[in-house]
């Protein structure tokens, strides 16, 4: 498991520091840093702010200059324009800036892989868990999206974690499990509007639990 996750991070690192910026990365990076540096939440990428703040955390407190609120207003608070100004027009090493934020996303991708392994092992055993993790970390699509400054990996992580935590709570309700389920759901709802799909999944898990009262929490959630 450690070896597979290390291989995943190695592959992500090779892409993170060696590929050019994609269209929307500047927008996510510009919005996230505006929240940190200027406290200005008027910049929006049609997503919510949590993952953008987390992905730009490695850049939040360094000494690199960032467009001021007045400059953001001049750019009409366009997140892509703000991000491109920061990356390409202020004399900074844009490859290093992008790479650091991208590797933050890769770290969330590794955590998602660990969750996939743990959940699959609970349902099907250790070999099933390792196989599921291998399919995940060797997927070109997963490696590609985990090597960019976008919120998709974070949204996938929070969604899977929220479903897992809710199923775990239903299996043996306690205040600790309720707090965990609430915190993870809160993170999901602060990441992307499509998080509303969670409630359909949670409802399905609840109904399956009523229909199969003797099923374990792992098998119920996986169903």
């Amino acid at each position: 498991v450690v070896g597979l996750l290390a291989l995943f991070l190695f592959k992500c690192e090779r892409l993170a520091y060696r590929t050019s910026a994609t269209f929307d990365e500047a927008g996510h990076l510009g919005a996230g840093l505006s929240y940190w540096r200027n406290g200005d939440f008027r910049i929006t990428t049609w997503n919510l702010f949590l993952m953008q703040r987390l992905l730009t955390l490695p850049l939040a407190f360094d000494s690199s200059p960032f467009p001021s609120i007045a400059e953001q207003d001049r750019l009409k608070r366009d997140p892509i324009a703000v991000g491109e100004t920061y990356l390409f027009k202020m004399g900074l090493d844009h490859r290093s800036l992008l790479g650091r934020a991208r590797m933050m996303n890769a770290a969330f991708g590794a955590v998602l892989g660990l969750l996939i392994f743990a959940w699959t092992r609970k349902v099907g055993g250790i070999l099933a868990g390792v196989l599921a993790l291998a399919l995940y970390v060797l997927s070109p699509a997963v490696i590609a999206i985990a090597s960019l400054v976008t919120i998709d990996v974070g949204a996938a992580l929070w969604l899977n974690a929220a479903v897992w935590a809710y199923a775990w709570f239903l299996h043996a309700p306690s205040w600790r499990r309720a707090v965990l389920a609430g915190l993870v759901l809160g993170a999901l709802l602060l990441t992307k509007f499509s998080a509303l799909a969670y409630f359909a999944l949670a409802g399905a898990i609840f109904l399956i639990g009523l229909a199969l009262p003797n099923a374990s929490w792992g098998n119920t959630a996986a169903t």
Side-chain angles (χ1 to χ4, degrees):
V1 171
V2 172
L4 286 171
L5 292 175
L7 176 63
F8 173 74
L9 291 173
F10 172 73
K11 287 181 171 291
C12 289
E13 189 274 340
R14 289 182 62 83
L15 289 178
Y17 286 93
R18 292 170 174 81
T19 54
S20 60
T22 59
F23 174 75
D24 57 347
E25 283 186 287
H28 290 297
L29 194 146
L33 280 178
S34 176
Y35 307 151
W36 285 113
R37 299 285 189 90
N38 297 329
D40 187 354
F41 286 81
R42 295 175 298 168
I43 292 184
T44 176
T45 60
W46 301 104
N47 294 288
L48 298 168
F49 66 87
L50 178 62
M51 279 307 300
Q52 291 166 340
R53 293 198 73 164
L54 292 176
L55 294 181
T56 54
L57 184 59
L59 311 176
F61 304 106
D62 66 14
S63 58
S64 61
F66 185 77
S68 64
I69 292 181
E71 179 68 7
Q72 291 178 182
D73 290 339
R74 187 187 69 79
L75 296 170
K76 299 180 180 180
R77 294 190 293 277
D78 179 349
I80 293 178
V82 172
E84 289 180 344
T85 298
Y86 172 66
L87 288 173
F88 306 118
K89 299 179 182 179
M90 306 190 80
L92 302 173
D93 182 354
H94 67 275
R95 290 187 181 275
S96 174
L97 299 175
L98 273 175
R100 288 155 62 191
R102 285 170 168 179
M103 287 308 297
M104 191 71 174
N105 195 36
F108 281 100
V111 174
L112 175 56
L114 190 61
L115 176 62
I116 290 171
F117 164 75
W119 198 344
T120 309
R121 184 182 65 172
K122 177 69 177 180
V123 175
I126 183 70
L127 291 179
V130 172
L131 176 60
L133 178 61
L135 291 173
Y136 170 81
V137 301
L138 297 176
S139 167
V142 173
I143 295 170
I145 200 65
S147 305
L148 300 175
V149 187
T150 62
I151 67 170
D152 302 294
V153 170
L157 169 61
W158 298 129
L159 177 61
N160 280 275
V163 171
W164 173 84
Y166 178 63
W168 192 45
F169 166 75
L170 289 181
H171 176 67
S174 70
W175 70 267
R176 291 182 178 86
R177 296 186 180 194
V179 169
L180 176 63
L183 288 174
V184 179
L185 176 57
L188 174 63
L189 294 175
L190 290 174
T191 296
K192 200 166 187 176
F193 291 110
S194 58
L196 295 176
Y198 161 85
F199 295 101
L201 294 172
I205 290 171
F206 182 77
L207 293 176
I208 292 171
L210 291 179
L212 304 172
N214 294 323
S216 71
W217 66 268
N219 289 323
T220 299
T223 302

